[in-house]
Amino acid sequence: MPSLFEYPTTRRFLLGAGALLGGSSAVRLALGQAPTPPAAPQEAAADGKQHVGHQTSEDAHNTHDGMTTVGEVDYERNGFDPHDILTDWDTGTASRLPDGGTLREFDIIAEDKEIEIAPGIFFPAWTYNGRVPGPTLRVGEGDRIRVRFRNFGSHPHTMHFHGIHAARMDGVPGAGNVLPGGEFTYEFDAFPFGCHLYHCHSVPLKRHIHKGLYGAFIIDPDPARHIELADVARSRVLGSPENALWQEFVLVMNGFDTNFDEENEVYAVNSIAHAYSKRPIVVDRARPIRLYVINLTEFDPINSLHLHANFFDYFDHGTTLTPTLKTVDTIMQCQGQRGIAEISFRDHEPGLYMFHAHQSEFAELGWMSLFDVRDDAQQQTRKG
């Protein structure tokens, strides 16, 4: 009988071989590693900021037969941590315009950079500001946005924003396409409010997106423009007292074709396989959760989000203040689709609650995560 490793190393081969080995993950099979106990706990802060912590016991780690990558990704080498990306809002440099409006200025650099997407698995990425996904740009409805984009990469690149703007600011070939060593300034007013994105629109488009040139672009609603739902609008405005009652996280769903056969071998949210399984996202049971969910997976027509043991309200594209779907536990998104999911665990007991893609292949290859739901009394200052 031929050796397993005489066959082509495709994602489907890895999954099949993993099943033969009793449910081991494909990445673990590829690395030839066995499960290890979780690291020491890291706790959530008592200051109301969102943090993440490890599962608290080996039993919890093995609840699902340890279906997770083995080893640790070097986040320092990568230059970014997926746990920081959850709440790392870039609001730019703000100043006042002559008409009294707000100008927000951003500096974005495209550069080639190798990143580690799973323990020992490296990917030759193209990045915005050295990370995948790029910085989460967060602004207010009606703000004037000015983005100075410089291309330090090896190929032409752009920044195409999903939103309303002039054709000359569209970030496509002929309108903001930047050659290596060049720069371009995009300027437009932020409309409509919602959960949006930006990405490179140079050709071949599928490679420029897949290589990592994308990020979240969130426009908070202006309560003064939505008097009938002003309280709801204020709850989405970063820095407002109403917004402080929420626990907000950005989840960019993505995949990586590590052998360039136009099939993804690794899936994740915020780029690192099983990052939030190995270090679950700590949340306060008493406070609602708002997820900004964006699909930027290439080579697969659909990605999805499924929540265990609970339901949520969903705002497609985030452009409404009332839900477009109520009481659902699974949503699907094509590439470029996005939305806001609002969740409450107030009536649940504390514990670990899974959320993941409901394509089993995606979950096994990295898109599997956990919320660590706790009471206030259980939250302590984060260590380390």
Side-chain angles (χ1 to χ4, degrees), residues 91 94-97 100-104 106 138-146 187-191 217-220 222 225:
T91 57
S95 60
R96 190 65 61 187
L97 292 166
T102 298
L103 169 67
R104 294 191 183 274
F106 301 87
R138 188 160 181 176
V139 303
E141 182 181 11
D143 289 353
R144 173 63 55 87
I145 309 304
R146 184 177 295 159
E187 189 163 332
F188 54 90
D189 293 336
F191 291 105
F217 176 47
I218 297 170
I219 302 177
D220 293 338
D222 177 0
R225 299 172 186 262

Side-chain angles (χ1 to χ4, degrees), residues 74 76-80 111-117 120-127 130-132 211:
D74 188 342
E76 185 174 352
R77 180 190 184 279
N78 273 354
F80 64 91
E111 60 181 335
D112 302 358
K113 182 178 180 180
E114 184 180 68
I115 62 173
E116 190 177 7
I117 56 174
I121 298 179
F122 295 86
F123 182 77
W126 297 342
T127 70
R131 51 177 261 188
V132 180
K211 291 274 277 183

